[in-house]
Amino acid sequence: QVQLVESGGGLVQAGGSLRLSCAASGRTFSTYCMGWFRQAPGKEREFVGAISRSGGSIYYADSVKGRFTISRDNAENTVYLQMNSLKLDDTAVYYCAAGRSLCTIARKDFGSWGQGTQVTVSS
């Protein structure tokens, strides 16, 4: 199991940008698929994106593709979510999660979760 801490959330105007970070503990970070999920009020937690252990494969939900970018720095045990062209519907608590070596988009396949960071997009 890996310990995860998100940061970088805040209030931003529609059309603006935010960069979220997720710092992980442990010495096996590079063996995990890392995912980002979000949960808005009244909705289920949903998949945002994931990045494979080496960074060679990246997956995005259709709702964010072209606007969000996932990256990772295995030397610093950190995964990032760059969010551009933010919309009101992007408002949610964002969570990072560590999965198995091979990425999936299913929440049940991610065993370790951060505490979440709030992203609020205003008009």
Side-chain angles (χ1 to χ4, degrees):
Q1 190 175 10
V2 61
Q3 306 300 121
L4 305 172
V5 180
E6 302 98 332
S7 63
L11 177 65
V12 64
Q13 291 184 351
S17 298
L18 282 175
R19 183 180 175 88
L20 306 183
S21 299
C22 176
S25 66
R27 297 170 180 82
T28 59
F29 175 76
S30 63
T31 70
Y32 295 102
C33 168
M34 296 298 299
W36 286 96
F37 293 76
R38 67 186 182 186
Q39 187 165 18
K43 294 186 176 181
E44 296 293 319
R45 191 172 300 185
E46 66 176 353
F47 173 78
V48 175
I51 184 168
S52 63
R53 57 184 182 177
S54 66
S57 298
I58 300 176
Y59 312 91
Y60 297 103
D62 288 343
S63 59
V64 307
K65 194 170 186 178
R67 300 187 297 120
F68 291 10
T69 303
I70 299 172
S71 61
R72 69 191 295 164
D73 186 338
N74 288 344
E76 296 187 0
N77 283 8
T78 303
V79 62
Y80 304 95
L81 182 67
Q82 177 68 46
M83 304 184 294
N84 299 327
S85 302
L86 283 162
K87 305 175 180 179
L88 293 177
D89 287 347
D90 294 321
T91 294
V93 177
Y94 283 72
Y95 301 88
C96 71
R100 308 184 73 87
S101 295
L102 296 178
C103 282
T104 78
I105 65 170
R107 187 171 72 92
K108 64 180 177 61
D109 291 331
F110 291 82
S112 298
W113 295 82
Q115 84 288 347
T117 185
Q118 177 71 49
V119 172
T120 302
V121 183
S122 64
S123 61

PDB file of all heavy atoms in Angstrom, residues 13-36:
ATOM      1  N   GLN A  13     -11.559  30.782 -12.264  1.00  0.00           N
ATOM      2  CA  GLN A  13     -12.617  31.183 -13.177  1.00  0.00           C
ATOM      3  C   GLN A  13     -12.709  30.223 -14.357  1.00  0.00           C
ATOM      4  O   GLN A  13     -11.717  29.603 -14.757  1.00  0.00           O
ATOM      5  CB  GLN A  13     -12.375  32.598 -13.700  1.00  0.00           C
ATOM      6  CG  GLN A  13     -12.523  33.689 -12.657  1.00  0.00           C
ATOM      7  CD  GLN A  13     -12.381  35.076 -13.242  1.00  0.00           C
ATOM      8  OE1 GLN A  13     -12.016  35.247 -14.399  1.00  0.00           O
ATOM      9  NE2 GLN A  13     -12.671  36.084 -12.438  1.00  0.00           N
ATOM     10  N   ALA A  14     -13.904  30.092 -14.903  1.00  0.00           N
ATOM     11  CA  ALA A  14     -14.085  29.278 -16.098  1.00  0.00           C
ATOM     12  C   ALA A  14     -13.122  29.729 -17.192  1.00  0.00           C
ATOM     13  O   ALA A  14     -12.938  30.924 -17.420  1.00  0.00           O
ATOM     14  CB  ALA A  14     -15.524  29.360 -16.588  1.00  0.00           C
ATOM     15  N   GLY A  15     -12.511  28.755 -17.849  1.00  0.00           N
ATOM     16  CA  GLY A  15     -11.507  29.038 -18.857  1.00  0.00           C
ATOM     17  C   GLY A  15     -10.092  29.076 -18.327  1.00  0.00           C
ATOM     18  O   GLY A  15      -9.138  29.075 -19.119  1.00  0.00           O
ATOM     19  N   GLY A  16      -9.943  29.076 -17.013  1.00  0.00           N
ATOM     20  CA  GLY A  16      -8.634  29.120 -16.392  1.00  0.00           C
ATOM     21  C   GLY A  16      -8.015  27.750 -16.218  1.00  0.00           C
ATOM     22  O   GLY A  16      -8.532  26.747 -16.711  1.00  0.00           O
ATOM     23  N   SER A  17      -6.904  27.718 -15.472  1.00  0.00           N
ATOM     24  CA  SER A  17      -6.128  26.493 -15.314  1.00  0.00           C
ATOM     25  C   SER A  17      -5.730  26.267 -13.869  1.00  0.00           C
ATOM     26  O   SER A  17      -5.579  27.211 -13.096  1.00  0.00           O
ATOM     27  CB  SER A  17      -4.854  26.554 -16.162  1.00  0.00           C
ATOM     28  OG  SER A  17      -5.139  26.670 -17.540  1.00  0.00           O
ATOM     29  N   LEU A  18      -5.551  25.004 -13.518  1.00  0.00           N
ATOM     30  CA  LEU A  18      -4.992  24.582 -12.246  1.00  0.00           C
ATOM     31  C   LEU A  18      -4.102  23.379 -12.484  1.00  0.00           C
ATOM     32  O   LEU A  18      -4.334  22.606 -13.424  1.00  0.00           O
ATOM     33  CB  LEU A  18      -6.068  24.203 -11.237  1.00  0.00           C
ATOM     34  CG  LEU A  18      -6.828  25.312 -10.507  1.00  0.00           C
ATOM     35  CD1 LEU A  18      -7.923  24.691  -9.650  1.00  0.00           C
ATOM     36  CD2 LEU A  18      -5.892  26.144  -9.654  1.00  0.00           C
ATOM     37  N   ARG A  19      -3.116  23.206 -11.616  1.00  0.00           N
ATOM     38  CA  ARG A  19      -2.237  22.046 -11.660  1.00  0.00           C
ATOM     39  C   ARG A  19      -2.289  21.343 -10.312  1.00  0.00           C
ATOM     40  O   ARG A  19      -1.887  21.911  -9.294  1.00  0.00           O
ATOM     41  CB  ARG A  19      -0.802  22.464 -11.977  1.00  0.00           C
ATOM     42  CG  ARG A  19       0.192  21.303 -12.105  1.00  0.00           C
ATOM     43  CD  ARG A  19       1.576  21.851 -12.422  1.00  0.00           C
ATOM     44  NE  ARG A  19       2.621  20.851 -12.447  1.00  0.00           N
ATOM     45  CZ  ARG A  19       2.971  20.135 -13.517  1.00  0.00           C
ATOM     46  NH1 ARG A  19       2.335  20.315 -14.665  1.00  0.00           N
ATOM     47  NH2 ARG A  19       3.963  19.253 -13.442  1.00  0.00           N
ATOM     48  N   LEU A  20      -2.787  20.116 -10.310  1.00  0.00           N
ATOM     49  CA  LEU A  20      -2.856  19.315  -9.104  1.00  0.00           C
ATOM     50  C   LEU A  20      -1.636  18.414  -9.002  1.00  0.00           C
ATOM     51  O   LEU A  20      -1.132  17.922 -10.012  1.00  0.00           O
ATOM     52  CB  LEU A  20      -4.119  18.453  -9.084  1.00  0.00           C
ATOM     53  CG  LEU A  20      -5.457  19.169  -9.266  1.00  0.00           C
ATOM     54  CD1 LEU A  20      -6.601  18.172  -9.133  1.00  0.00           C
ATOM     55  CD2 LEU A  20      -5.609  20.312  -8.273  1.00  0.00           C
ATOM     56  N   SER A  21      -1.179  18.193  -7.773  1.00  0.00           N
ATOM     57  CA  SER A  21      -0.064  17.302  -7.514  1.00  0.00           C
ATOM     58  C   SER A  21      -0.488  16.224  -6.540  1.00  0.00           C
ATOM     59  O   SER A  21      -1.344  16.445  -5.684  1.00  0.00           O
ATOM     60  CB  SER A  21       1.132  18.061  -6.934  1.00  0.00           C
ATOM     61  OG  SER A  21       1.606  19.045  -7.822  1.00  0.00           O
ATOM     62  N   CYS A  22       0.120  15.072  -6.647  1.00  0.00           N
ATOM     63  CA  CYS A  22      -0.112  13.964  -5.724  1.00  0.00           C
ATOM     64  C   CYS A  22       1.230  13.372  -5.363  1.00  0.00           C
ATOM     65  O   CYS A  22       1.905  12.791  -6.219  1.00  0.00           O
ATOM     66  CB  CYS A  22      -1.023  12.917  -6.355  1.00  0.00           C
ATOM     67  SG  CYS A  22      -1.280  11.448  -5.344  1.00  0.00           S
ATOM     68  N   ALA A  23       1.612  13.523  -4.101  1.00  0.00           N
ATOM     69  CA  ALA A  23       2.878  13.006  -3.612  1.00  0.00           C
ATOM     70  C   ALA A  23       2.658  11.653  -2.958  1.00  0.00           C
ATOM     71  O   ALA A  23       1.749  11.489  -2.147  1.00  0.00           O
ATOM     72  CB  ALA A  23       3.500  13.981  -2.612  1.00  0.00           C
ATOM     73  N   ALA A  24       3.497  10.693  -3.297  1.00  0.00           N
ATOM     74  CA  ALA A  24       3.355   9.330  -2.816  1.00  0.00           C
ATOM     75  C   ALA A  24       4.549   8.929  -1.965  1.00  0.00           C
ATOM     76  O   ALA A  24       5.679   9.337  -2.221  1.00  0.00           O
ATOM     77  CB  ALA A  24       3.215   8.359  -3.983  1.00  0.00           C
ATOM     78  N   SER A  25       4.271   8.112  -0.967  1.00  0.00           N
ATOM     79  CA  SER A  25       5.325   7.536  -0.146  1.00  0.00           C
ATOM     80  C   SER A  25       5.771   6.209  -0.742  1.00  0.00           C
ATOM     81  O   SER A  25       5.164   5.689  -1.681  1.00  0.00           O
ATOM     82  CB  SER A  25       4.836   7.333   1.284  1.00  0.00           C
ATOM     83  OG  SER A  25       3.816   6.348   1.334  1.00  0.00           O
ATOM     84  N   GLY A  26       6.827   5.657  -0.187  1.00  0.00           N
ATOM     85  CA  GLY A  26       7.278   4.342  -0.596  1.00  0.00           C
ATOM     86  C   GLY A  26       8.360   4.376  -1.653  1.00  0.00           C
ATOM     87  O   GLY A  26       8.630   5.406  -2.273  1.00  0.00           O
ATOM     88  N   ARG A  27       8.935   3.216  -1.868  1.00  0.00           N
ATOM     89  CA  ARG A  27      10.028   3.078  -2.825  1.00  0.00           C
ATOM     90  C   ARG A  27       9.638   2.285  -4.060  1.00  0.00           C
ATOM     91  O   ARG A  27      10.501   1.979  -4.887  1.00  0.00           O
ATOM     92  CB  ARG A  27      11.224   2.424  -2.131  1.00  0.00           C
ATOM     93  CG  ARG A  27      11.800   3.257  -1.001  1.00  0.00           C
ATOM     94  CD  ARG A  27      12.815   2.493  -0.180  1.00  0.00           C
ATOM     95  NE  ARG A  27      13.352   3.309   0.897  1.00  0.00           N
ATOM     96  CZ  ARG A  27      12.757   3.494   2.065  1.00  0.00           C
ATOM     97  NH1 ARG A  27      11.597   2.911   2.309  1.00  0.00           N
ATOM     98  NH2 ARG A  27      13.317   4.251   2.995  1.00  0.00           N
ATOM     99  N   THR A  28       8.351   1.957  -4.183  1.00  0.00           N
ATOM    100  CA  THR A  28       7.854   1.201  -5.322  1.00  0.00           C
ATOM    101  C   THR A  28       6.840   1.993  -6.134  1.00  0.00           C
ATOM    102  O   THR A  28       6.017   1.411  -6.828  1.00  0.00           O
ATOM    103  CB  THR A  28       7.235  -0.133  -4.867  1.00  0.00           C
ATOM    104  OG1 THR A  28       6.164   0.114  -3.956  1.00  0.00           O
ATOM    105  CG2 THR A  28       8.281  -1.007  -4.194  1.00  0.00           C
ATOM    106  N   PHE A  29       6.888   3.318  -6.076  1.00  0.00           N
ATOM    107  CA  PHE A  29       5.947   4.168  -6.792  1.00  0.00           C
ATOM    108  C   PHE A  29       5.912   3.850  -8.280  1.00  0.00           C
ATOM    109  O   PHE A  29       4.848   3.864  -8.906  1.00  0.00           O
ATOM    110  CB  PHE A  29       6.307   5.635  -6.563  1.00  0.00           C
ATOM    111  CG  PHE A  29       5.472   6.607  -7.354  1.00  0.00           C
ATOM    112  CD1 PHE A  29       4.173   6.902  -6.969  1.00  0.00           C
ATOM    113  CD2 PHE A  29       5.989   7.228  -8.480  1.00  0.00           C
ATOM    114  CE1 PHE A  29       3.407   7.803  -7.692  1.00  0.00           C
ATOM    115  CE2 PHE A  29       5.227   8.135  -9.206  1.00  0.00           C
ATOM    116  CZ  PHE A  29       3.936   8.419  -8.811  1.00  0.00           C
ATOM    117  N   SER A  30       7.062   3.573  -8.845  1.00  0.00           N
ATOM    118  CA  SER A  30       7.148   3.347 -10.278  1.00  0.00           C
ATOM    119  C   SER A  30       6.465   2.061 -10.730  1.00  0.00           C
ATOM    120  O   SER A  30       6.320   1.843 -11.938  1.00  0.00           O
ATOM    121  CB  SER A  30       8.612   3.333 -10.730  1.00  0.00           C
ATOM    122  OG  SER A  30       9.321   2.268 -10.134  1.00  0.00           O
ATOM    123  N   THR A  31       6.033   1.210  -9.805  1.00  0.00           N
ATOM    124  CA  THR A  31       5.347  -0.030 -10.162  1.00  0.00           C
ATOM    125  C   THR A  31       3.836   0.140 -10.258  1.00  0.00           C
ATOM    126  O   THR A  31       3.147  -0.792 -10.678  1.00  0.00           O
ATOM    127  CB  THR A  31       5.653  -1.143  -9.155  1.00  0.00           C
ATOM    128  OG1 THR A  31       5.025  -0.857  -7.894  1.00  0.00           O
ATOM    129  CG2 THR A  31       7.158  -1.290  -8.948  1.00  0.00           C
ATOM    130  N   TYR A  32       3.297   1.303  -9.886  1.00  0.00           N
ATOM    131  CA  TYR A  32       1.855   1.519  -9.843  1.00  0.00           C
ATOM    132  C   TYR A  32       1.352   2.280 -11.062  1.00  0.00           C
ATOM    133  O   TYR A  32       1.950   3.266 -11.495  1.00  0.00           O
ATOM    134  CB  TYR A  32       1.457   2.322  -8.607  1.00  0.00           C
ATOM    135  CG  TYR A  32       1.706   1.635  -7.290  1.00  0.00           C
ATOM    136  CD1 TYR A  32       2.802   1.975  -6.512  1.00  0.00           C
ATOM    137  CD2 TYR A  32       0.831   0.660  -6.829  1.00  0.00           C
ATOM    138  CE1 TYR A  32       3.028   1.356  -5.295  1.00  0.00           C
ATOM    139  CE2 TYR A  32       1.053   0.038  -5.613  1.00  0.00           C
ATOM    140  CZ  TYR A  32       2.147   0.391  -4.851  1.00  0.00           C
ATOM    141  OH  TYR A  32       2.364  -0.221  -3.640  1.00  0.00           O
ATOM    142  N   CYS A  33       0.212   1.833 -11.573  1.00  0.00           N
ATOM    143  CA  CYS A  33      -0.612   2.722 -12.374  1.00  0.00           C
ATOM    144  C   CYS A  33      -1.207   3.777 -11.447  1.00  0.00           C
ATOM    145  O   CYS A  33      -1.684   3.440 -10.359  1.00  0.00           O
ATOM    146  CB  CYS A  33      -1.740   1.936 -13.049  1.00  0.00           C
ATOM    147  SG  CYS A  33      -3.023   2.953 -13.797  1.00  0.00           S
ATOM    148  N   MET A  34      -1.155   5.045 -11.849  1.00  0.00           N
ATOM    149  CA  MET A  34      -1.697   6.127 -11.039  1.00  0.00           C
ATOM    150  C   MET A  34      -2.908   6.732 -11.737  1.00  0.00           C
ATOM    151  O   MET A  34      -2.861   7.021 -12.938  1.00  0.00           O
ATOM    152  CB  MET A  34      -0.654   7.209 -10.796  1.00  0.00           C
ATOM    153  CG  MET A  34       0.548   6.732  -9.985  1.00  0.00           C
ATOM    154  SD  MET A  34       0.083   6.191  -8.304  1.00  0.00           S
ATOM    155  CE  MET A  34      -0.608   7.701  -7.630  1.00  0.00           C
ATOM    156  N   GLY A  35      -3.971   6.928 -10.974  1.00  0.00           N
ATOM    157  CA  GLY A  35      -5.205   7.456 -11.530  1.00  0.00           C
ATOM    158  C   GLY A  35      -5.674   8.709 -10.827  1.00  0.00           C
ATOM    159  O   GLY A  35      -5.301   8.981  -9.683  1.00  0.00           O
ATOM    160  N   TRP A  36      -6.488   9.488 -11.535  1.00  0.00           N
ATOM    161  CA  TRP A  36      -7.202  10.636 -10.973  1.00  0.00           C
ATOM    162  C   TRP A  36      -8.692  10.395 -11.130  1.00  0.00           C
ATOM    163  O   TRP A  36      -9.158   9.998 -12.206  1.00  0.00           O
ATOM    164  CB  TRP A  36      -6.813  11.943 -11.667  1.00  0.00           C
ATOM    165  CG  TRP A  36      -5.458  12.465 -11.304  1.00  0.00           C
ATOM    166  CD1 TRP A  36      -4.293  12.290 -11.985  1.00  0.00           C
ATOM    167  CD2 TRP A  36      -5.134  13.274 -10.164  1.00  0.00           C
ATOM    168  NE1 TRP A  36      -3.260  12.932 -11.346  1.00  0.00           N
ATOM    169  CE2 TRP A  36      -3.745  13.542 -10.229  1.00  0.00           C
ATOM    170  CE3 TRP A  36      -5.880  13.794  -9.103  1.00  0.00           C
ATOM    171  CZ2 TRP A  36      -3.090  14.315  -9.258  1.00  0.00           C
ATOM    172  CZ3 TRP A  36      -5.225  14.555  -8.147  1.00  0.00           C
ATOM    173  CH2 TRP A  36      -3.852  14.803  -8.230  1.00  0.00           C
TER     174      TRP A  36
END
